[in-house]
Amino acid sequence: FRASVCMRWRQLPWSLRRGRLERLLPSAGRPLPPPPAVRWASARADRAADEATYRLLSPLEHVLLRPGMYVGATGRTNEHAWVVDGGTSGGMAWRPVSYCPALLKIFDEVLVNALDNVSRDPAGTTHIDVSIGAAGLPPTGLPEGALRVHNAGRGIPVAKATAAVHGAGVAGTWLPQLVLGELFTGSNFDDGAGRIVGGRHGFGAKLANIFSERFEVETADAAAGVRYSQVWRRNMSVVEPPELLPLPHSAASDYTRVTLLPDYARLLGEGGAQGGGGQGGLAEGGGAEGGGGLDADTVALLCRRVHEAAACAHPTACVSLNGVALEVDGLRGLMRRYPASDAALAAGGGSALVRLSPRWQLGVAAAPGGGGAHVSFVNGVATARGGTHMDHIERQLLRGLAARLAAKGEEPLPPAALRPHLLLFVDGRVEDPEFDSQAKERLTSPADR
């Protein structure tokens, strides 16, 4: 009986059913249900909205949408850090800074590429020249906010990709354009080669290109007798045709020069402030599309990184900053830039440097009050958060110090009590290093490497 009633009710037109419901439901204080057509339309809209939440991004779109996964945080970060306030000649100072981690990282990607060339071509990579367009530093001809890294030595061959070697999809593309303008490209994918470099995943300088308003490369291939230059604009979305010129015999030596104007509006979220407009090339000091953004704290951090690069490149290559050669003779020279603690100065010492193996150096100094715990590098990459190499070295060092103190009859101290008083410097070389992220702040390779 109930089934028959329900069937008859459903067969009634909606206008009749609505009239009867209006007489029944108001007394119960309940709203009328929407008509079936309205319910069906709402359900379709909800489903369409759900379907629209799923998207396929290109690799370039993903990098721009999720920068933290590739270059670290955008926007400003406030913390304490070691900096070089004197530019080309100052010492290290531990002070509060406000900076953009992503901005420092894209500069570092280009700088590490130059340091990698020291390992690939030690005979040819005799110098690395870094230029920073910022007030307070020697003038370079660069516009405000522009950065440049120039290294001697063999670079990317000026040749076209072939279908047999590089794949049909990129055949005919010039190799410099492929390596600097396409993600997941590079020369570090042969894991059996045992390379001692900082690059690994095929991102590298492309990330600097993506986060720049203008990115310019110039490379000389002496074997081919050609100088190649090319410009990318608007976060690597606009590619200008390359320019190839004969390489004069008087300047027939290999080199690579990368000049970039970071996208400060995207990196800092402040709309970019300093710098001028125009469309001239950065190499000629012409303006660019955006603004500066190199405040004093950022410049001081960039200068520190260049001093660190000088220590890592020594003695193979000389590193200069804005035309001034940096007198940093390896890890020992870098240690001299750091202030000693008052107790160490009173004792007439306070630091020591030892070569643990052909690939590893360890420096130990008495930590100045409030100073950082370590300064470490792996294949030229600054591992600010340490990693397996620091854990391994710290364990052995602290156990040895504790045992030495106990042997002298001193009051026994646990290793954890000794650690805050030490500032450690580590420079190591690791084959095919592994890091916890593309930011490369922490080494995760096994300690036995």
Side-chain angles (χ1 to χ4, degrees), residues 184-204:
F184 313 116
T185 58
S187 60
N188 299 321
F189 296 125
D190 184 1
D191 291 341
R195 291 183 174 87
I196 302 177
V197 294
R200 183 165 174 81
H201 300 300
F203 288 98

Side-chain angles (χ1 to χ4, degrees), residues 59 62-63 66-72 105 109 203 207 211 438-439:
H62 193 271
V63 172
R66 295 290 182 264
M69 183 176 177
Y70 300 94
V71 294
K105 189 59 191 175
E109 290 287 3
F203 288 98
L207 294 175
F211 287 97
Q438 179 60 32

Side-chain angles (χ1 to χ4, degrees), residues 2-14:
R2 277 184 290 182
S4 176
V5 171
C6 290
M7 180 65 69
R8 292 177 61 190
W9 171 259
R10 291 173 182 169
Q11 291 175 347
L12 290 175
W14 171 250

Side-chain angles (χ1 to χ4, degrees), residues 2-380:
R2 277 184 290 182
S4 176
V5 171
C6 290
M7 180 65 69
R8 292 177 61 190
W9 171 259
R10 291 173 182 169
Q11 291 175 347
L12 290 175
W14 171 250
S15 58
L16 293 178
R17 282 187 284 168
R18 182 178 181 86
R20 297 184 182 184
L21 288 171
E22 286 176 345
R23 291 195 297 271
L24 295 174
L25 294 180
S27 60
R30 289 176 290 178
L32 292 174
V38 175
R39 294 199 302 271
W40 296 336
S42 177
R44 286 195 299 269
D46 291 343
R47 181 177 179 83
D50 290 341
E51 293 173 355
T53 61
Y54 296 92
R55 299 171 57 191
L56 173 62
L57 300 178
S58 69
L60 175 58
E61 290 172 332
H62 193 271
V63 172
L64 290 171
L65 190 64
R66 295 290 182 264
M69 183 176 177
Y70 300 94
V71 294
T74 56
R76 291 195 173 272
T77 295
N78 300 305
E79 62 184 23
H80 278 74
W82 290 108
V83 299
V84 175
D85 284 319
T88 58
S89 60
M92 297 288 177
W94 178 258
R95 65 172 177 82
V97 292
S98 175
Y99 71 102
C100 172
L103 174 58
L104 261 62
K105 189 59 191 175
I106 64 172
F107 168 77
D108 197 53
E109 290 287 3
V110 178
L111 183 60
V112 169
N113 271 10
L115 290 173
D116 284 350
N117 222 56
V118 175
S119 176
R120 292 193 186 99
D121 183 19
T125 311
T126 56
H127 60 93
I128 298 173
D129 305 315
V130 180
S131 301
I132 300 173
L137 295 176
T140 63
L142 289 176
E144 182 77 13
L147 306 169
R148 174 184 292 158
V149 178
H150 172 112
N151 66 269
R154 188 174 63 251
I156 305 167
V158 180
K160 289 189 176 182
T162 62
V165 177
H166 307 97
V170 296
T173 304
W174 289 99
L175 289 181
Q177 178 177 344
L178 186 67
V179 172
L180 293 172
E182 297 288 343
L183 290 169
F184 313 116
T185 58
S187 60
N188 299 321
F189 296 125
D190 184 1
D191 291 341
R195 291 183 174 87
I196 302 177
V197 294
R200 183 165 174 81
H201 300 300
F203 288 98
K206 276 84 73 174
L207 294 175
N209 195 345
I210 291 172
F211 287 97
S212 292
E213 293 185 6
R214 178 186 171 99
F215 185 92
E216 183 176 343
V217 63
E218 181 179 315
T219 186
D221 186 339
V226 175
R227 183 178 66 188
Y228 178 104
S229 61
Q230 191 166 20
V231 173
W232 288 260
R233 298 179 185 274
R234 299 176 187 172
N235 310 106
M236 207 171 77
S237 64
V238 178
V239 187
E240 296 186 3
E243 181 181 4
L244 285 82
L245 296 172
L247 189 64
H249 291 291
S250 59
S253 58
D254 297 320
Y255 69 85
T256 301
R257 177 185 300 152
V258 173
T259 310
L260 63 144
L261 183 72
D263 185 351
Y264 290 105
R266 183 181 295 274
L267 291 168
L268 298 175
E270 298 172 353
Q274 308 157 7
Q279 298 295 324
L282 295 181
E284 290 75 28
E289 291 87 338
L294 289 180
D295 54 81
D297 285 352
T298 302
V299 172
L301 288 165
L302 292 173
C303 290
R304 183 201 75 186
R305 187 66 187 108
V306 180
H307 281 73
E308 293 173 347
C312 295
H314 181 83
T316 305
C318 173
V319 176
S320 70
L321 174 58
N322 283 33
V324 179
L326 299 180
E327 298 179 359
V328 183
D329 54 340
L331 196 60
R332 184 180 297 278
L334 186 66
M335 292 173 64
R336 294 195 192 104
R337 302 272 176 164
Y338 284 78
S341 68
D342 294 338
L345 290 174
S351 68
L353 178 67
V354 60
R355 183 170 286 279
L356 304 176
S357 73
R359 292 185 177 181
W360 288 93
Q361 291 185 86
L362 169 64
V364 183
H374 72 267
V375 178
S376 64
F377 313 100
V378 174
N379 301 353

